[in-house]
Amino acid sequence: MAGAGGGGCPAGGNDLQWCFSQVKGAVDEDVAEADIISTVEFNYSGDLLATGDKGGRVVIFQREQENKSRPHSRGEYNVYSTFQSHEPEFDYLKSLEIEEKINKIRWLPQQNAAHFLLSTNDKTIKLWKISERDKRAEGYNLKDEDGRLRDPFRITALRVPKLKPMDLMVEASPRRIFANAHTYHINSISVNSDHETYLSADDLRINLWHLEITDRSFNIVDIKPVNMEELTEVITAAEFHPHQCNVFVYSSSKGTVRLCDMRSSALCDRHSKFFEEPEDPSSRSFFSEIISSISDVKFSHSGRYMMTRDYLSVKVWDLNMESRPVETHQVHEYLRSKLCSLYENDCIFDKFECCWSGSDSAIMTGSYNNFFRMFDRNTRRDVTLEASRENSKPRASLKPRKVCTGGKRKKDEISVDSLDFNKKILHTAWHPAENIIAVAATNNLYIFQDKVN
Amino acid sequence: MFARGLKRKSAEDGEDVEGGLAGAQAMPSYSLQRQSLLDMSLVKLQLCHMLVEPNLCRSVLIANTVRQIQEEMAQDGTWRVVAPQAAGRAPLDRLVSTDILCRSVREQEGERPGPDAGDGHTPDLVPGLATVPSAQALRSPQSSLWEVDSSRENRGGFQKSLDQIFETLENKTSGSVEELFADVDSPYYDLDAVLTGMVGSTQSGHGSGLQAFSSATAPPPSSSCRSDLGELDHAVEILVET
């Protein structure tokens, strides 16, 4: 398996010692709904880290450059830009509000000095340009330094304006707005490897866009039944292949993944590959379908594998084998006996995301009680860590946590019934090249680093 | 959240209640727990955000669960009117800890009831919800709110009502949403009330997609479901008004 093996990327999640690095966000116990983080994403270099929240805001952090005079701040992420990406809207035809919550952010590969990202709420995708301004022109002829217009008749001499340095200003401006293409709620966006197109997926349809064109999109998948009464399955996530610009996958609420090739037909209703693990009939219950629903699908960086997250597990699939995954990792199997309660309080519908490490040697996903889990694919070891303010001393090592499933609870273990199901880690991100991870815990963003780093 | 330790009228059909109470002391049976899961699911489908479009994925998954339960119940032949008191109390008290349903099929094999010989009641469409047979007997035939028909039609009606939910979800207008919530002063989640039939019937009478949930066959008046005539009149009044 190809992977970015070199350059500061040692194997896996468990040879590493994860340490607290930073935490962003309010300390208040009282969490404002708008501050809840709804998406986290590193850019291609890892220098920028973007978060979106339920209030429609995007906050971008930038990694500080190495600085010999301040060695401890090396690698710290500080706020680079904050802007309001989406506002709440009202759909007058349906008399319904459209939430401003940012569902996904995806960066575009950097092509010049500016940075571009796509952010989306339930209905509208926006392309944002984030650019720096660190110079300004001084010495205009027609206006004063404070901007007041000068009387042209008073001007006796002409001068050439000069560029002078100024305090860095980071500006975000919306460059494209891709609207009115989705009847249902957008759950995914994915930039194509051609860097010209991207897809957006809602519950029943997937559209293909060109980044330059906002008034047209091509529908490439449509699973809406003629009769809505016959609806039994929805699209839950979609992603383009990292290298093959004609290939994408989409997952469903029935636990299946379809791989489609856009070369085969304009409407990719017929899949090229169909990934589904046969159900174990002995473990079937009324909740089997719900917990099999896939909440996230991600290609490995190599493009050879993909990972799916369902309610209780993460599965790694080899794209060449459709019949079953090559790896299955249990995230919180102790919840299996609590499914009825979790159904009752709706937690069973929580959509957890998952991510690969830069070298694809480890995978990470979130759980409840602010726990998150890491699986090392090489050593086959896994660890449970916690994002909490208590473990927030600078460079403090994170202690592995353990959930006690029954019998006598050991010291330092936490019993299943004591888990806080309101503290859920749905969104995590892994730096593309280094062992730095970003974990969103409600309204706080935690950044952890490997000690070696 | 759930009423515990409420005194209740002693049911006329002592045997049923005894069985029910005995069941309440021990672990509730698979069918009772399945019943409560069905009720919970139906309530979830009804609970829609007033202003924001409901999550389609969640609705589809819940609807599929309801279908599954319905199919299994049809196979079992266990669609029957359950005495409201017994149905109302036992599973609710244990709603949170119902782990039987989380067990696999193999584990449950020994526990599942065979096709119920029944007590002569016509299979009910939604056994838990519409358990006021006397009220239905009082209803006027031309009342458009209720389908007083054979069980087979009602099963179709059930399917239809599920589909209506989707239509409602898809074509939600402010009118229907307001209707849904017009008279709610107690939380929907008062499953207790829902299962005892009175308040639940009125609440679920709102909205086009939801009426059918409460519709049911007209089984012969059951002695186990006798209630104050006054209460029944009141219920019918409310139903007819909506």
Side-chain angles (χ1 to χ4, degrees):
Chain A
M1 171 188 76
C9 203
N14 290 332
D15 300 326
L16 306 174
Q17 187 63 255
W18 289 101
C19 304
F20 172 83
S21 175
Q22 297 170 270
V23 60
K24 309 283 188 191
V27 192
D28 266 353
E29 277 300 312
D30 230 354
V31 179
E33 177 96 359
D35 292 338
I36 296 175
I37 299 170
S38 50
T39 184
V40 185
E41 187 83 354
F42 280 100
N43 75 337
Y44 281 75
S45 66
D47 281 342
L48 295 178
L49 175 61
T51 61
D53 64 25
K54 277 191 164 184
R57 288 165 305 205
V58 171
V59 180
I60 301 177
F61 302 92
Q62 185 187 47
R63 194 171 183 202
E64 294 300 327
Q65 296 305 313
E66 294 214 22
N67 190 335
K68 287 204 174 60
S69 61
R70 293 176 62 211
H72 291 319
S73 73
R74 178 187 63 78
E76 264 189 10
Y77 285 83
N78 295 319
V79 177
Y80 180 65
S81 173
T82 305
F83 57 93
Q84 187 75 33
S85 171
H86 287 71
E87 299 273 4
E89 286 172 49
F90 196 76
D91 181 338
Y92 291 97
L93 284 181
K94 293 186 192 173
S95 284
L96 289 170
E97 273 189 9
I98 299 171
E99 284 187 324
E100 66 275 31
K101 171 169 79 88
I102 308 294
N103 292 336
K104 283 283 169 4
I105 289 174
R106 290 288 183 264
W107 290 93
L108 265 56
Q110 191 174 9
Q111 287 171 333
N112 52 38
H115 299 277
F116 289 86
L117 60 79
L118 288 170
S119 72
T120 185
N121 68 348
D122 284 338
K123 297 286 187 179
T124 304
I125 306 135
K126 295 187 183 180
L127 175 69
W128 287 89
K129 176 180 179 183
I130 297 106
S131 48
E132 294 183 4
R133 193 199 287 249
D134 61 357
K135 297 181 190 50
R136 68 189 174 95
E138 271 180 19
Y140 283 102
N141 291 293
L142 291 177
K143 56 181 182 181
D144 283 341
E145 292 314 315
D146 50 11
R148 273 183 318 168
L149 290 174
R150 290 166 81 192
D151 184 355
F153 294 105
R154 297 269 176 86
I155 299 172
T156 53
L158 286 179
R159 54 186 177 174
V160 177
K162 288 189 168 47
L163 289 176
K164 295 267 169 66
M166 60 178 258
D167 285 340
L168 179 66
M169 202 167 72
V170 181
E171 300 171 320
S173 59
R175 306 302 284 181
R176 305 269 188 278
I177 296 183
F178 305 91
N180 302 320
H182 286 280
T183 310
Y184 303 96
H185 291 178
I186 297 173
N187 52 55
S188 312
I189 47 176
S190 177
V191 182
N192 204 348
S193 52
D194 64 8
H195 302 163
E196 287 185 353
T197 58
Y198 74 94
L199 64 77
S200 58
D202 66 29
D203 295 312
L204 298 178
R205 297 190 177 103
I206 302 180
N207 294 330
L208 179 71
W209 301 84
H210 193 284
L211 284 164
E212 299 291 329
I213 300 170
T214 58
D215 60 356
R216 275 197 309 272
S217 75
F218 291 100
N219 177 240
I220 52 178
V221 173
D222 188 339
I223 66 167
K224 182 180 178 192
V226 168
N227 225 339
M228 272 299 269
E229 301 160 10
E230 291 159 11
L231 179 67
T232 58
E233 189 175 14
V234 300
I235 297 169
T236 52
E239 197 182 46
F240 264 121
H241 190 278
H243 311 310
Q244 296 169 33
C245 59
N246 51 297
V247 172
F248 66 93
V249 292
Y250 68 92
S251 59
S252 84
S253 56
K254 287 199 169 168
T256 66
V257 179
R258 288 169 176 81
L259 184 145
C260 299
D261 186 333
M262 294 196 292
R263 294 173 303 190
S264 56
S265 71
L267 187 61
C268 300
D269 274 355
R270 282 210 301 275
H271 50 263
S272 300
K273 296 196 185 189
F274 183 74
F275 298 85
E276 185 180 31
E277 183 167 27
E279 190 185 16
D280 175 12
S282 66
S283 69
R284 179 153 184 77
S285 74
F286 283 121
F287 305 108
S288 294
E289 185 183 313
I290 299 179
I291 63 169
S292 75
S293 175
I294 292 172
S295 50
D296 195 16
V297 64
K298 291 262 170 52
F299 279 104
S300 64
H301 291 93
S302 63
R304 167 135 178 236
Y305 298 95
M306 71 175 176
M307 163 166 60
T308 57
R309 174 69 156 101
D310 51 70
Y311 190 63
L312 296 180
S313 68
V314 233
K315 296 178 180 171
V316 177
W317 302 77
D318 184 325
L319 293 185
N320 298 317
M321 186 164 77
E322 302 164 55
S323 53
R324 62 176 195 281
V326 291
E327 292 166 31
T328 301
H329 303 277
Q330 303 301 336
V331 180
H332 35 220
E333 182 68 11
Y334 46 79
L335 295 183
R336 192 180 287 272
S337 58
K338 308 283 177 190
L339 290 179
C340 202
S341 313
L342 295 165
Y343 178 72
E344 187 197 351
N345 64 16
D346 267 11
C347 281
I348 208 175
F349 300 108
D350 286 337
K351 291 191 190 306
F352 292 94
E353 292 173 9
C354 52
C355 60
W356 296 85
S357 69
S359 62
D360 295 338
S361 60
I363 56 185
M364 169 168 66
T365 189
S367 177
Y368 294 103
N369 208 69
N370 277 355
F371 288 171
F372 57 100
R373 302 264 287 136
M374 273 190 207
F375 305 92
D376 186 324
R377 302 177 60 221
N378 298 328
T379 64
R380 301 315 221 118
R381 288 203 305 257
D382 60 82
V383 69
T384 305
L385 300 172
E386 182 181 2
S388 79
R389 293 265 175 182
E390 281 81 52
N391 309 331
S392 301
K393 293 199 191 60
R395 292 178 302 286
S397 287
L398 293 183
K399 203 174 60 171
R401 304 304 311 260
K402 192 133 167 34
V403 175
C404 158
T405 51
K408 197 153 165 49
R409 185 177 75 86
K410 297 198 189 74
K411 179 167 118 66
D412 284 350
E413 282 186 359
I414 180 166
S415 74
V416 183
D417 298 312
S418 312
L419 294 174
D420 188 342
F421 289 91
N422 290 319
K423 292 189 177 161
K424 43 194 103 180
I425 292 184
L426 304 172
H427 313 286
T428 59
W430 203 309
H431 190 287
E434 296 182 39
N435 286 319
I436 302 171
I437 55 176
V439 173
T442 317
N443 61 333
N444 288 155
L445 182 72
Y446 288 81
I447 299 173
F448 302 106
Q449 290 192 26
D450 170 37
K451 211 174 194 100
V452 171
N453 249 6
Chain B
M1 172 179 359
F2 302 117
R4 287 171 190 260
L6 274 188
K7 280 200 190 283
R8 68 186 84 138
K9 290 188 283 215
S10 70
E12 303 308 319
D13 190 344
E15 226 178 278
D16 264 10
V17 174
E18 234 178 78
L21 283 177
Q25 256 98 59
M27 200 56 185
S29 72
Y30 173 85
S31 60
L32 277 180
Q33 300 214 6
R34 180 177 61 184
Q35 182 61 59
S36 81
L37 180 64
L38 176 65
D39 300 329
M40 195 198 322
S41 304
L42 293 173
V43 170
K44 279 184 181 300
L45 282 176
Q46 295 180 29
L47 279 172
C48 297
H49 290 278
M50 286 170 77
L51 290 173
V52 181
E53 244 172 319
N55 185 330
L56 188 63
C57 182
R58 176 178 173 274
S59 304
V60 167
L61 289 173
I62 297 173
N64 289 351
T65 306
V66 168
R67 268 196 207 99
Q68 264 185 67
I69 299 175
Q70 171 207 355
E71 277 163 18
E72 196 182 273
M73 285 174 125
Q75 278 170 15
D76 282 350
T78 50
W79 277 23
R80 62 182 178 89
V81 178
V82 182
Q85 291 94 334
R89 308 299 165 179
L92 286 179
D93 282 357
R94 278 148 188 82
L95 201 56
V96 172
S97 61
T98 47
D99 63 351
I100 279 188
L101 293 168
C102 309
R103 296 190 211 152
S104 67
V105 162
R106 197 172 284 158
E107 290 168 335
Q108 287 166 359
E109 243 155 29
E111 293 174 304
R112 284 176 48 180
D116 197 7
D119 39 9
H121 291 164
T122 322
D124 194 82
L125 174 62
V126 180
L129 277 184
T131 52
V132 192
S134 321
Q136 291 156 20
L138 287 173
R139 241 189 317 283
S140 62
Q142 62 264 31
S143 165
S144 55
L145 288 174
W146 303 92
E147 295 168 47
V148 189
D149 279 308
S150 73
S151 60
R152 188 153 40 107
E153 259 195 46
N154 279 319
R155 220 161 286 162
F158 178 75
Q159 176 65 28
K160 182 159 157 283
S161 66
L162 209 53
D163 304 332
Q164 280 176 310
I165 284 257
F166 280 117
E167 294 296 339
T168 313
L169 290 177
E170 190 180 36
N171 308 316
K172 193 179 284 291
T173 62
S174 60
S176 68
V177 171
E178 267 141 40
E179 259 177 272
L180 264 179
F181 288 85
D183 287 318
V184 177
D185 46 6
S186 58
Y188 259 110
Y189 225 95
D190 197 355
L191 271 186
D192 221 23
V194 168
L195 290 178
T196 48
M198 294 303 183
V199 179
S201 312
T202 65
Q203 284 180 345
S204 44
H206 296 159
S208 59
L210 307 172
Q211 289 168 8
F213 277 119
S214 310
S215 66
T217 58
S222 158
S223 54
S224 70
C225 302
R226 198 172 304 165
S227 341
D228 272 355
L229 263 186
E231 270 182 272
L232 291 174
D233 276 346
H234 180 62
V236 172
E237 238 177 78
I238 295 176
L239 293 167
V240 170
E241 270 168 42
T242 49

